[in-house]
Amino acid sequence: MSIQNEKDLQGILKAGKFVAKVRELLKLLAKPGVSTWELDTVAKQEFEKAGAFSAPKFDYKFPGYTCISTNFEIAHGIPKKETILKNGDLVNIDVSAKLDGYYADTGISFVVGESNDTLQKLCATAIEGTMRATEQAFTGNYLRHLGREIHSAAVENGFTVIKNLAGHGTGKKLHEEPQVLVYEEKRDQRKLGNGLVLAIESFISTGSQTAYEEEDGWTLVASNRRGELSYVAQCEHTVIVQNGKPIIATL
């Protein structure tokens, strides 16, 4: 969607503030010994208190209030009682909500407890790529320049990107046009319109460039042609395109 009036602006900002709050709360609670189901239960309580709807559950009947992925899972991980977090686990928490008719979407990857240098760098690169892309979200700029920044951040840090996953428009539904690729498609001549609402996200990988769906029909993993799994980190923010500096609704 594109922001048309003050009501739209305040609606996106309110939804963005809510999902950012839940994201940070779950990140804080993600300690060794805690299950992803327990984290999702906390999210459920926050949704109910705010009168918000879980966007993946509402729009797609996802079996959880949030997507919580661990280690070689990239995204759409299903919260489970048997998935107990351990020291050194790579975790991705993705929170998206419908609140008062408006959607916002955010996510972050991080390591529980102590981490090795590669995973720390991977998570930092995901943040770097998304923030660099966000700086390109100004009126009249080419859409492809967002993907260029994400891909450049990955390559500069010795990583690659998952090319069959992308960010997206959002606002009135969880997923809207346009797709926001994580690399530059130079043939794409589309430009960003003022007020356009985007969920900008990076998918930074230690090797593979392709995501595959697991047998559960939700969880995504990344592997190469030899079947070797890659770690992937994500960072996602809901952003409003502006004539000047973009507005990040989910900081």
Side-chain angles (χ1 to χ4, degrees), residues 189-206:
Q189 298 300 309
R190 288 177 294 176
K191 293 186 177 182
L192 300 172
N194 192 53
L196 181 64
V197 183
L198 299 172
I200 300 173
E201 55 187 319
S202 54
F203 293 96
I204 309 298
S205 169
T206 55

Side-chain angles (χ1 to χ4, degrees), residues 106-158:
T106 188
I108 191 69
S109 293
F110 58 95
V111 180
V112 176
E114 297 177 4
S115 172
N116 64 56
D117 291 343
T118 298
L119 291 184
Q120 287 285 26
K121 186 177 181 182
L122 188 72
C123 293
T125 302
I127 294 171
E128 177 188 343
T130 294
M131 299 312 294
R132 283 172 56 170
T134 295
E135 292 173 0
Q136 297 294 316
F138 55 85
T139 306
N141 195 16
Y142 286 104
L143 173 63
R144 67 174 189 266
H145 287 177
L146 279 64
R148 181 184 66 189
E149 291 301 318
I150 294 170
H151 190 224
S152 294
V155 172
E156 289 165 15
N157 286 283

